[in-house]
Amino acid sequence: MAQFEEVSKKSELHPKPVGMVQQYGTAGFRTHADHLDHVMFRMGLLAALRSRNTKATIGVMVTASHNPEEDNGVKLIDPMGEMLTPVWEVYATRLVNAEQDHLLTVLEDVIEKESIDLTQEAHVFVGKDTRSSSARLSEAVLDGVTALRGHSKDYGLVTTPQLHYMVCCCNTRGEYGQASVEGYYRKLLQAFAELTKHVPNRTDDQKCLLVDGANGIGALKLREMVPRLQGELLVSLFCDGTSGKLNHQCGADFVKVQQKSPKGIDMKAGDRCCSFDGDGDRIVYYYSDAEGHFHLLDGDKIATLISTFLKELLTQAGLDLKMAVVQTAYANGSSTRYLQDTMKLIVKCTKTGVKHLHHVAQEFDIGVYFEANGHGTRWRLFSLWCKDRGLDPKTCPVEVVLHFLQSLLDTRRAASTLRVYAAAISAFHDLIGGLSIGKHRMVSQFLKGANRLRPGRCLRAPSWDLPLVLRSLTTAPYEPLGQTDLKFLTQKTVFLLALCSTKRVSELHALSVSTECMRWKPEDAAVSLWPNPFFLPKVLNPQSINRAIELEAFYPEPACQAGVALHTLCPVRALRAYVDQTQQLRRDHTQLFVCYGARQLGHPVSKQRVSHWLVDTIAQAYAGRGFPVPEGLVAHSTRSMATSWAALKGVALADICAAASWSTPCTFARFYRINVTSTTVLFSKVLEEKIRRLCKDSDGERRRVATLLKNSVDLINQTVGDAISDMLLIEAILAIRGMTVQQWDAIYTDLPNRQLKVKVSDRRVIETTDAERKTVSPAGLQEAIDGLVEKHRQGRSFVRPSGTEDVVRVYAEAETQESADALAHEVSLAVYRLAGGVGGEPKPL
């Protein structure tokens, strides 16, 4: 196509190495900078397409966060400053992995699937961090944008949160703020000044803060802000990028893992210190006491400080709103008890992963959450591996690192997993010949070879969007139900039955309207369905033979608008209407589903026809809204969709397996489960409007409190975790409360804890529920864990499978470190014995 001539021409300047495969994940693409030129160009192309698709400005950030300096990466930012939507993550992976002669084919496929109008203008914001490779790589991004005739704005050196902020500002037409670095500074500094201006009698010692900038972009931007703090915060900036390497012996990861201050900071007893990570989206606080003991205040303590402050303001302002702290199972039990029992806050637990946390936080007027990263765990594993062999993990030769990586490869770890381990080791290992361990020639060659032996796999993603189809079923031509054509009534009934029952097409086809096979409860409150007596299911087991489909009506008499909408999706309602409308069409058979075409009206249908109806319903939903119909739709996908959403919403795996007639959870994990759906504070629009109105209409104490709330909202970067924003908010809260860092730390005492890993033959045998805090398989494991926990005071433990390797992660906490270590070891033994452990049994710590 003529419109792609510029793409073809410029792509030759950014060629893809043959056979190289990369995967877009939560952090985008990350690898050695030498392997990213073609990736950057193609992400520029994708950003231009995404902009046209959303009719909004898209961001592209060139950074690798806490990875070593020789690495780099790129990620796209969606219109409201959020992470790229999962469907487009798949497009990103396909586009980057397309060989040079297939690039245009993949590009055209994305355009066709998303019905992108290439005459629509495209706008892309581009930012980069301070890595030496970032300048040339960001130029490759800009080349990609211009190759598709997009408009770009290069913000140059910015933190990742700053670019997220500016994308959101642009797409809200300035409602969120001015889309510039100056606008970012002005909004945060003004809010900080307003929060702290009435704090009485603060000494210079109380205003002092030591900041480790990780030799990264966060340090550069904080240095620009410091002169404008007007003495309200006296910042001493270390690891500011003028000397030293990015993330090397400094930064949030280093401090968290090493439990000591970064190299170059002279921290005296009682000094309040904090560290940023490489791209400025994560922060930890710490101090040293009079005895020289190091104290770390990370995500749990930060979330607790912020949430309790906001809760007190809401109470004082008389605002009765829903506020929650969202945690994962890894949150320390002491923080959970303090928030629930002392502060009377709602605490929600969800699966690990920022997307899960963000989703739950959005359910409340105020949602506070954080998530740590995994570099520390990987470094600890390498450290233990070295110490078992009498080696120093920080100074060992490169051959030792290669031996360790080879041991991982021998246990069938993917190349992407090895790269993460190499990055973690590089962050703490001493330089060799002036280079970090990850940049060493032998390590680079090893990782290239590992990539050829263990190429990554794409995660399974849904092929269609369930909420989109359900919304379609609530409108014409499917509603009003009493007036709809038999064709659409049939499609709706079949689809809702398939979704709510999780049954195969053959089982739906065998359903009957005979009195023995269809039994209604009074007032159609529920219905029980059986297949005809001569039907034999595909899988003959006790779970599938003569098992009824039990359906209950929901919102039979809607009392609210939400109930009315849900009422239209009730399968019992649809089935009742379908049976009544087809009753006179059946002649000499009792099969539930019948033909609606004029020639065969009322005749039994085939299984293939039922399959077509399911596919047609999905296709109709997309076509009816002007979206391209997904390719490769199959009726069987309703089973994976229904069961995966059920698992996501917390339905017990045993119940899912029983409904789907699976004798083992492994069937679900292997063949059906799909992926459906930093401290961050989210405020609902309702809350923000109430606060603004309170500031305007109230007076006295309520107005003062409302003003504090308004400035707290303005000080928080709600698009993403932001080290600078979080630092200013924490400092403001400490000043307003008159608290020292020691008093903050003493709010509650963390329980000692231990994390371990157990190698297993297949991690998929572990299935969890209750936000990953309980196991449902293998049989007996949860009972064993419960029994072990009871032996330890304040004991708690859970296990969860790794997402990338055949290991099971074990977490344990208890009253003492000795008890936590013992519990972790005992649970590890239970996992080893009941979940197919490999190698030798776990040894006591």
Side-chain angles (χ1 to χ4, degrees), residues 498 500-504 507 537-539 541 543-544 547 636 638-640 642-644 653-664 667-668 672:
C500 294
S501 69
T502 74
K503 296 304 182 185
R504 297 178 177 87
E507 294 167 299
K538 176 182 177 181
V539 178
N541 59 38
Q543 287 80 18
S544 60
R547 181 182 177 88
H636 202 63
T638 56
R639 272 169 63 84
S640 59
T643 51
S644 295
L653 191 59
D655 294 337
I656 295 173
C657 290
S661 303
W662 293 323
S663 58
T664 168
T667 305
F668 174 50
Y672 288 91

Side-chain angles (χ1 to χ4, degrees), residues 95-235:
L95 194 63
V96 163
N97 292 332
E99 297 302 337
Q100 202 71 13
D101 55 351
H102 288 106
L103 174 60
L104 296 186
T105 301
V106 175
L107 206 59
E108 291 170 358
D109 186 53
V110 174
I111 293 168
E112 182 182 350
K113 283 184 174 180
E114 295 294 328
S115 298
I116 296 172
D117 180 3
L118 292 179
T119 64
Q120 175 79 30
E121 285 197 345
H123 297 271
V124 179
F125 287 175
V126 180
K128 60 178 178 287
D129 68 10
T130 54
R131 296 165 195 268
S132 59
S133 60
S134 291
R136 66 174 175 83
L137 292 176
S138 64
E139 287 297 326
V141 173
L142 295 170
D143 278 355
V145 176
T146 56
L148 276 178
R149 300 188 305 282
H151 304 283
S152 61
K153 182 169 183 177
D154 186 0
Y155 278 94
L157 295 171
V158 291
T159 67
T160 297
Q162 284 176 337
L163 192 65
H164 280 258
Y165 169 88
M166 290 183 287
V167 169
C168 181
C169 289
C170 177
N171 290 314
T172 56
R173 300 182 183 276
E175 181 183 333
Y176 192 64
Q178 181 186 339
S180 67
V181 175
E182 173 58 29
Y184 171 89
Y185 289 157
R186 189 162 54 244
K187 182 177 180 180
L188 267 60
L189 289 167
Q190 182 177 340
F192 179 76
E194 288 294 318
L195 281 170
T196 57
K197 69 180 182 181
H198 296 306
V199 177
N201 305 320
R202 291 180 73 208
T203 67
D204 284 352
D205 284 347
Q206 291 172 325
K207 296 179 182 179
C208 284
L209 175 67
L210 279 61
V211 180
D212 155 31
N215 288 319
I217 184 64
L220 179 66
K221 293 303 169 181
L222 182 59
R223 189 163 58 237
E224 294 175 357
M225 291 184 71
V226 166
R228 302 169 62 172
L229 287 167
Q230 300 177 343
E232 288 302 316
L233 185 63
L234 304 177
V235 173

Side-chain angles (χ1 to χ4, degrees), residues 7 52 125-126 132 164 260 313 327 345 549 580 650 652 656 820:
V7 175
R52 291 185 171 102
F125 287 175
V126 180
S132 59
H164 280 258
K260 66 178 182 181
L313 291 182
Q327 300 180 330
L345 276 165
I549 299 174
D580 289 347
I656 295 173

Side-chain angles (χ1 to χ4, degrees), residues 267-273 287-290 741-742:
M267 185 174 68
K268 299 181 177 61
D271 284 347
R272 190 170 69 255
C273 310
Y287 70 97
S288 179
D289 62 25
V741 67
Q742 294 89 343

